[in-house]
Coordinates of all heavy atoms in Angstrom, one line a residue:
L747 N 141.8 35.2 32.5 CA 143.0 35.2 31.7 C 143.4 36.6 31.4 O 142.6 37.5 31.1 CB 142.8 34.5 30.4 CG 143.9 34.6 29.4 CD1 145.1 33.8 29.8 CD2 143.3 34.0 28.1
W748 N 144.7 37.0 31.7 CA 145.2 38.3 31.3 C 146.2 38.1 30.1 O 147.1 37.3 30.2 CB 145.9 38.9 32.3 CG 145.3 39.1 33.7 CD1 144.9 38.1 34.6 CD2 144.5 40.3 34.0 NE1 144.1 38.8 35.5 CE2 143.9 40.1 35.2 CE3 144.5 41.5 33.4 CZ2 143.2 41.1 35.9 CZ3 143.8 42.6 34.0 CH2 143.1 42.3 35.2
V749 N 146.0 38.8 29.0 CA 146.8 38.8 27.8 C 147.4 40.1 27.5 O 146.7 41.1 27.3 CB 145.9 38.2 26.6 CG1 146.9 38.1 25.4 CG2 145.4 36.8 26.8
E750 N 148.7 40.1 27.3 CA 149.4 41.3 26.8 C 149.6 40.9 25.2 O 150.1 39.8 24.8 CB 150.8 41.5 27.4 CG 151.6 42.6 26.8 CD 150.9 43.9 26.9 OE1 150.2 44.2 27.8 OE2 151.1 44.8 25.9
Y751 N 149.1 41.8 24.4 CA 149.3 41.7 22.8 C 150.3 42.5 22.3 O 150.5 43.5 22.7 CB 148.0 42.0 22.2 CG 146.7 41.1 22.3 CD1 145.8 41.1 23.3 CD2 146.8 40.0 21.4 CE1 144.8 40.3 23.5 CE2 145.7 39.1 21.5 CZ 144.8 39.2 22.5 OH 143.7 38.3 22.6
K752 N 151.1 41.8 21.3 CA 152.1 42.5 20.6 C 151.9 42.1 19.2 O 151.2 41.3 18.9 CB 153.4 42.0 21.1 CG 153.9 42.4 22.5 CD 153.9 43.9 22.6 CE 154.1 44.3 24.1 NZ 154.1 45.7 24.2
F753 N 152.5 42.9 18.3 CA 152.4 42.6 16.9 C 153.6 42.9 16.0 O 154.3 43.9 16.3 CB 151.3 43.5 16.3 CG 151.0 43.3 14.9 CD1 150.2 42.2 14.4 CD2 151.5 44.0 13.8 CE1 149.9 41.9 13.1 CE2 151.3 43.7 12.5 CZ 150.5 42.7 12.1
M754 N 154.0 42.0 15.1 CA 155.1 42.1 14.1 C 154.4 42.0 12.8 O 153.7 41.1 12.6 CB 156.2 41.0 14.4 CG 156.9 41.0 15.7 SD 158.0 39.6 15.7 CE 159.3 40.2 14.6
K755 N 154.9 43.0 11.9 CA 154.5 42.9 10.5 C 154.8 41.5 9.9 O 154.1 40.9 9.1 CB 155.1 44.0 9.7 CG 154.5 44.3 8.4 CD 155.0 45.6 7.8 CE 154.4 45.8 6.5 NZ 154.9 47.0 5.9
E756 N 156.1 41.1 10.1 CA 156.5 39.8 9.6 C 157.8 39.3 10.6 O 158.3 40.1 11.2 CB 157.0 39.9 8.3 CG 158.1 40.9 7.9 CD 158.4 41.0 6.5 OE1 157.6 40.5 5.7 OE2 159.3 41.8 6.2
L757 N 158.0 38.0 10.5 CA 159.1 37.6 11.2 C 160.5 38.0 10.4 O 160.4 38.1 9.2 CB 159.2 36.0 11.2 CG 158.1 35.4 12.2 CD1 158.2 33.8 12.1 CD2 158.3 35.9 13.6
P758 N 161.6 38.1 11.0 CA 162.8 38.5 10.5 C 163.1 37.4 9.3 O 162.7 36.2 9.5 CB 163.8 38.4 11.5 CG 163.0 38.7 12.8 CD 161.7 38.0 12.6
K759 N 163.8 37.8 8.3 CA 164.2 36.9 7.3 C 165.3 35.9 7.7 O 165.2 34.7 7.2 CB 164.7 37.7 6.1 CG 163.7 38.7 5.6 CD 162.6 38.0 4.8 CE 161.6 39.0 4.1 NZ 160.3 38.9 4.5
R760 N 166.2 36.2 8.4 CA 167.4 35.3 8.7 C 166.8 34.4 9.8 O 166.2 34.7 10.9 CB 168.6 36.2 9.4 CG 169.3 36.9 8.4 CD 170.6 37.3 9.1 NE 171.4 38.1 8.1 CZ 171.9 39.3 8.3 NH1 171.9 39.8 9.6 NH2 172.5 39.8 7.5
P761 N 167.1 33.1 9.6 CA 166.6 32.0 10.5 C 167.3 32.1 11.9 O 166.7 31.5 12.8 CB 166.8 30.8 9.8 CG 167.9 31.1 8.7 CD 167.7 32.6 8.4
T762 N 168.4 32.8 12.0 CA 169.1 32.8 13.2 C 168.9 34.1 14.1 O 169.4 34.1 15.2 CB 170.7 32.8 13.0 OG1 171.0 33.8 12.1 CG2 171.1 31.4 12.3
T763 N 168.1 35.0 13.5 CA 167.7 36.2 14.3 C 166.8 35.8 15.5 O 165.9 35.0 15.4 CB 166.9 37.2 13.4 OG1 167.7 37.6 12.3 CG2 166.5 38.5 14.1
L764 N 167.3 36.3 16.6 CA 166.5 36.0 18.0 C 165.5 37.1 18.1 O 165.6 38.2 17.8 CB 167.5 36.0 19.1 CG 168.6 35.1 19.1 CD1 169.6 35.3 20.3 CD2 168.1 33.7 19.2
V765 N 164.3 36.4 18.4 CA 163.0 37.3 18.6 C 162.5 37.0 20.0 O 162.5 35.8 20.5 CB 162.0 36.9 17.6 CG1 160.7 37.6 17.7 CG2 162.4 37.1 16.1

Side-chain angles (χ1 to χ4, degrees):
L747 171 67
W748 297 86
V749 176
E750 177 61 34
Y751 283 94
K752 296 297 179 184
F753 185 80
M754 294 181 75
K755 191 174 179 181
E756 61 185 6
L757 288 177
K759 302 286 185 230
R760 285 193 181 133
T762 56
T763 300
L764 297 175
V765 177

